[in-house]
Amino acid sequence: EKGGYEHYMRKEIHEQPTALRQALSGRIDLDRAGVDLDLEFPQGCLESLEEIQLVACGTSYYASQYAAQLLEEVADVRATVEIASEYEFDGGRDPWRTLVIAVTQSGETADTLGAIRRAAGAGARTLAVTNTLGSSVTREADDTLFIRAGPEIGVAATKTFVSQVATLALLAVDIGRGRGTLSTADARDLLGDLRGLPGAVQQVLDEEDRVLKAAREFRDSESFFFVGRRFGYPVALEGALKLKEISYDHAEGFAAGELKHGPLALVTDKTPVLAVLTDGTRAGETMNNVTEAQTRGAPAIGAVSAGLETGSLDIGLEVPNVGIFEPLVANVYFQLFAYHVANLKGRSIDKPRNLAKSVTVE
Ligand code: F6R
């Protein structure tokens, strides 16, 4: 059932190219540089939006942070993200010009269901982005977009993260084209990068032995810091969450620029820094922050865009060129790193202590 893998998590990490192909399948029309998502919103509704609010928890929240940046950049629509358990919606001036998107793999997360109910109650349009047919969120929301990742058994979300972002990227293209804010040429570039994503992820999976080596080298560290900027920031947060969940080691993610505003006090030679150093995420500035940590003795591991020059890293892991999606590919290195650190320690990877796959209490 685990298809020869010792854990579902590793199987699901390796399923990412397939999951991505499924998310994109039949949805991209390169001729008109558009996408077809089969949404049933009334004609013109997405075009007249003033704001998109994404609500989610945990890994889905980090996917939403990535997606909000995509929506702003690609579709030029105001997009905000909120942790579902913190979300209050007062309706604003024109609730019907607000789209609230609940991003939830399981479709059963109580905090996320509560948030979307509050939004719907105040008159906003609602969209569910989920992996699960027939789940509660699909009944609560006006419309549903499936991420089509296939079942995810491991408690730690892996393939669904990348599928959520890819699906929301399609939505960003749809909205950008509908509003006329995304040009044909830019849409084609973006869709081309998106179609390159499964292959890019596969290339990273083929480097697994190098990640295993890094995990062996750093498994006994005191703490792990993940840093990135722009799209690399939610990926840093996600990298840290994955590691702490399954290895039980302390890990934290930071906006790279924040290191010097406090966390640097924690940095020693026992606190490796893992950095997203990809094109379009201000990698030069991120590298400056990494160098400051290195000066205090911290080992540095970087996921670096192919062809990008950085300063010296202890371990450099190459990320194939797929534009705005490169941090998503970097994330695959972080998933493998978390997996191997946890596996070397003999942790209960598919069912970490104290955690459940879907959290149905608020
Ligand atoms: C982390 C993880 C959790 C979930 C969170 C939301 O690996 O799996 O943080 O992402 O509980 O779950 P969904 O997406 O089902 O709403």
Side-chain angles (χ1 to χ4, degrees):
E1 198 180 336
K2 290 180 200 156
Y5 292 97
E6 54 277 60
H7 295 104
Y8 281 110
M9 183 184 178
R10 181 151 174 265
K11 174 173 182 266
E12 287 158 3
I13 289 172
H14 280 265
E15 281 172 351
Q16 289 178 111
T18 305
L20 281 165
R21 283 189 195 99
Q22 287 166 187
L24 305 179
S25 168
R27 287 173 162 174
I28 293 181
D29 181 347
L30 274 186
D31 287 342
R32 63 176 176 89
V35 301
D36 186 4
L37 296 174
D38 261 334
L39 291 173
E40 284 162 21
F41 284 118
Q43 190 75 29
C45 149
L46 293 179
E47 287 78 356
S48 63
L49 289 176
E50 263 173 19
E51 181 172 340
I52 296 178
Q53 300 179 350
L54 297 108
V55 293
C57 309
T59 291
S60 297
Y61 172 68
Y62 300 141
S64 300
Q65 284 190 321
Y66 202 120
Q69 291 187 50
L70 279 172
L71 282 159
E72 294 216 324
E73 192 162 314
V74 170
D76 197 23
V77 57
R78 191 174 134 75
T80 59
V81 201
E82 212 153 339
I83 292 173
S85 57
E86 290 293 323
Y87 180 79
E88 307 285 340
F89 184 67
D90 63 5
R93 258 181 314 155
D94 295 326
W96 57 91
R97 286 181 190 272
T98 304
L99 174 66
V100 179
I101 308 181
V103 181
T104 165
Q105 186 285 129
S106 62
E108 302 296 345
T109 301
D111 288 326
T112 309
L113 291 171
I116 196 133
R117 262 176 219 140
R118 289 195 284 283
R125 290 188 188 282
T126 55
L127 173 68
V129 173
T130 184
N131 196 32
T132 315
L133 287 157
S135 57
S136 301
V137 80
T138 64
R139 291 190 296 274
E140 296 281 348
D142 295 326
D143 216 333
T144 300
L145 191 51
F146 289 104
I147 65 169
R148 304 177 178 167
E152 189 176 66
I153 314 289
V155 163
T158 52
K159 62 177 179 174
T160 53
F161 175 79
V162 76
S163 300
Q164 284 169 335
V165 177
T167 305
L168 285 159
L170 290 172
L171 181 70
V173 172
D174 195 26
I175 293 175
R177 295 297 283 153
R179 288 162 81 87
T181 44
L182 179 66
S183 72
T184 310
D186 287 348
R188 282 217 177 95
D189 282 350
L190 208 87
L191 292 170
D193 287 336
L194 205 45
R195 294 218 302 190
L197 191 50
V201 168
Q202 188 57 54
Q203 283 185 52
V204 167
L205 295 171
D206 294 341
E207 298 290 311
E208 185 167 6
D209 281 349
R210 295 198 56 214
V211 185
L212 172 58
K213 221 173 129 235
R216 284 208 181 98
E217 192 172 340
F218 297 111
R219 53 174 287 186
D220 293 320
S221 304
E222 252 164 33
S223 184
F224 297 84
F225 296 138
F226 290 76
V227 298
R229 288 168 186 262
R230 302 196 71 228
F231 298 100
Y233 174 38
V235 165
L237 297 173
E238 168 60 9
L241 178 64
K242 218 83 311 175
L243 185 61
K244 73 180 80 155
E245 264 186 296
I246 60 165
S247 76
Y248 314 151
D249 285 315
H250 179 253
E252 266 191 86
F254 299 105
E258 281 293 291
L259 264 189
K260 60 185 176 297
H261 295 292
L264 208 49
L266 298 170
V267 168
T268 68
D269 58 353
K270 297 205 171 45
T271 60
V273 175
L274 292 92
V276 182
L277 298 163
T278 53
D279 284 317
T281 63
R282 299 212 300 272
E285 284 141 282
T286 301
M287 191 60 208
N288 290 342
N289 307 127
V290 171
T291 307
E292 285 165 20
Q294 284 178 305
T295 307
R296 276 95 187 159
I301 303 172
V304 186
S305 296
L308 190 70
E309 283 299 321
T310 61
S312 82
L313 292 161
D314 294 274
I315 299 177
L317 301 163
E318 187 173 289
V319 174
N321 297 127
V322 281
I324 216 165
F325 302 108
E326 287 171 24
L328 275 182
V329 184
N331 186 56
V332 177
Y333 282 120
F334 294 169
Q335 292 172 338
L336 289 170
F337 185 75
Y339 174 82
H340 285 294
V341 170
N343 196 33
L344 289 167
K345 295 184 175 193
R347 303 298 191 215
S348 165
I349 290 182
D350 286 334
K351 281 187 192 301
R353 66 185 182 203
N354 311 337
L355 301 177
K357 184 68 181 162
S358 61
V359 184
T360 52
V361 290
E362 280 186 317

